[in-house]
Amino acid sequence: MSILITGGAGYIGSHTAIKLLEAGYDIVIIDDFSNSHPIVLDRIREITGKDFTFYEFNLCNAQKIEQVFAKESIEAVIHFAGFKAVGESVKQPITYYQNNLIAVLNVLHAMHQFHVNRIIFSSSATVYGYDNPVPFTEEMPISATNPYGYSKVFTEIMLADIAKASPDFCAVSLRYFNPVGAHASGKIGESPVGTPNNLMPYISQVAAGKLDHLAIFGNDYDTIDGTGVRDYIHVVDLARGHLNALNYTLQHTGNIAINLGTGQGYSVLEMVHAFEKANHVTIPYTIQPRRAGDIATGYADPTKAKQLLHWEATHTLEEMCASAWHWQKNNPNGYSENHTN
Ligand code: UDP
């Protein structure tokens, strides 16, 4: 039996693939490299010393998914594949809804056809929207303000409906907070195409001299120093959360959403200073107006993950910053020359 990992060549998917291989699972990866690179597969093999089956196609192709389910003996699915840039989703809603929703529907349909009952879905803290107070707990109402966020909300709703209709079904939606850092080997990490949208890869590229300075989006929020506060979580902790969630789905039925965060918020300025201190570099920055759509503060209540998944984040902020820099220094252009700015 194998675990199907869609989007297994991506940032979180590749770290999770390593955890599963290390834990002795057989895995099958499907990826279309739309936001990743084939070399990731070699790096996963190098790090783990293990092999796996790989298929390259886009999940909007339902027929190909069915062929994989017909050929492989799939026990559970971890569904990472999807577009993830909020700003881009506002400009290209059809592309986002098509890629993120048709894909998951195709996967769910194939699972139904082939009697595969377990799925772990990459959801996001973005579903907590603007109006919930921190810390965010899973029982809070969910909402969205952009097509990317709605694709997460809609998928969570679909999973709940399927679980209601199928008593044997088990779905875990993992609501990620802000994944940062990289594998200790420095061989896999976050490789954004073009200029990064997220804070940590942006800081790394400023430290590397690829970008001139960091633009901090607002210093007039009601936070410790006026800059936005988020719950940054080491990607290796996040990957381990998937392993625990997989074990959960093997023993339970029903539908559940679980936060994967540390429960600790840090401001943008705290992140800048932590990165400088951990890596002995200087990050020049300017203060710019707030970015549209940003909330002041977001961090998790991680209690449910602790209780149900027996999981909690263990990596420190210093380790997050050091591993991000290690990856950046080892791979100045990410996975390929095509991934430069
Ligand atoms: N941020 C920033 N400059 C950047 C990118 C991000 O000041 O170039 C801030 C952003 O306003 C937010 C925090 O860093 O307060 C985290 O942003 P990111 O895009 O990484 O994650 P998200 O907004 O999705 O939580």
Side-chain angles (χ1 to χ4, degrees):
M1 297 292 272
S2 298
I3 310 302
L4 173 61
I5 306 182
T6 72
Y11 175 43
I12 305 169
S14 57
H15 287 82
T16 303
I18 288 172
K19 281 281 174 224
L20 262 64
L21 288 168
E22 285 173 349
Y25 283 99
D26 288 325
I27 64 169
V28 173
I29 292 180
I30 302 176
D31 204 297
D32 67 355
F33 300 124
S34 55
N35 193 18
S36 58
H37 195 278
I39 200 168
V40 178
L41 305 177
D42 297 333
R43 304 251 174 117
I44 296 172
R45 292 186 180 103
E46 253 179 70
I47 291 167
T48 61
K50 296 192 176 173
D51 203 4
F52 52 86
T53 309
F54 173 72
Y55 295 92
E56 181 180 347
F57 64 88
N58 183 284
L59 295 169
C60 291
N61 188 330
Q63 211 184 349
K64 285 201 169 158
I65 299 176
E66 281 164 29
Q67 284 166 3
V68 172
F69 275 79
K71 184 145 182 265
E72 309 289 342
S73 174
I74 305 292
E75 188 178 13
V77 176
I78 308 185
H79 181 64
F80 290 103
F83 291 157
K84 60 177 185 179
V86 171
E88 194 179 64
S89 83
V90 174
K91 289 186 194 128
Q92 302 171 30
I94 297 171
T95 308
Y96 267 68
Y97 284 128
Q98 181 160 37
N99 196 61
N100 290 9
L101 293 180
I102 306 251
V104 77
L105 269 176
N106 286 343
V107 169
L108 289 166
H109 186 250
M111 286 174 66
H112 184 67
Q113 263 184 299
F114 289 86
H115 310 292
V116 177
N117 285 319
R118 301 173 178 100
I119 184 164
I120 293 151
F121 170 60
S122 298
S123 190
S124 164
T126 195
V127 302
Y128 290 112
Y130 286 126
D131 298 327
N132 286 307
V134 285
F136 297 145
T137 61
E138 291 85 349
E139 292 68 33
M140 289 175 169
I142 60 172
S143 64
T145 53
N146 55 72
Y148 163 75
Y150 277 116
S151 75
K152 299 297 180 192
V153 170
F154 293 156
T155 304
E156 284 203 19
I157 293 169
M158 285 195 269
L159 293 172
D161 287 340
I162 296 169
K164 263 185 231 156
S166 327
D168 294 335
F169 192 75
C170 185
V172 179
S173 292
L174 295 175
R175 294 180 180 162
Y176 309 151
F177 280 72
N178 291 60
V180 296
H183 193 263
S185 63
K187 288 180 194 289
I188 61 166
E190 190 170 12
S191 179
V193 178
T195 306
N197 295 309
N198 295 113
L199 180 64
M200 191 59 123
Y202 207 106
I203 291 178
S204 296
Q205 293 197 13
V206 171
K210 290 183 74 181
L211 295 168
D212 194 47
H213 68 277
L214 171 71
I216 294 183
F217 300 139
N219 68 347
D220 56 354
Y221 287 107
D222 183 15
T223 61
I224 181 172
D225 55 25
T227 64
V229 168
R230 296 289 184 278
D231 184 339
Y232 297 91
I233 174 163
H234 198 299
V235 68
V236 171
D237 277 331
L238 204 62
R240 190 168 42 81
H242 291 76
L243 185 61
N244 293 25
L246 177 62
N247 292 334
Y248 177 92
T249 64
L250 299 176
Q251 291 157 15
H252 296 82
T253 55
N255 174 64
I256 193 160
I258 301 181
N259 290 337
L260 290 185
T262 66
Q264 167 78 52
Y266 290 105
S267 75
V268 177
L269 277 172
E270 284 175 322
M271 291 302 287
V272 168
H273 297 319
F275 194 96
E276 290 180 326
K277 189 165 170 233
N279 300 316
H280 312 289
V281 293
T282 304
I283 308 296
Y285 64 83
T286 60
I287 304 295
Q288 299 295 325
R290 293 180 180 192
R291 183 173 65 179
D294 274 355
I295 55 170
T297 302
Y299 56 89
D301 177 340
T303 309
K304 207 167 173 183
K306 199 170 172 180
Q307 285 172 348
L308 299 181
L309 303 184
H310 313 294
W311 173 94
E312 58 186 322
T314 59
H315 288 80
T316 62
L317 182 58
E318 189 182 351
E319 288 168 324
M320 299 182 210
C321 293
S323 66
W325 183 225
H326 183 218
W327 155 255
Q328 174 67 44
K329 275 190 305 184
N330 279 9
N331 306 269
N333 296 322
Y335 287 116
S336 81
E337 291 306 310
N338 300 331
H339 283 212
T340 58
N341 293 304

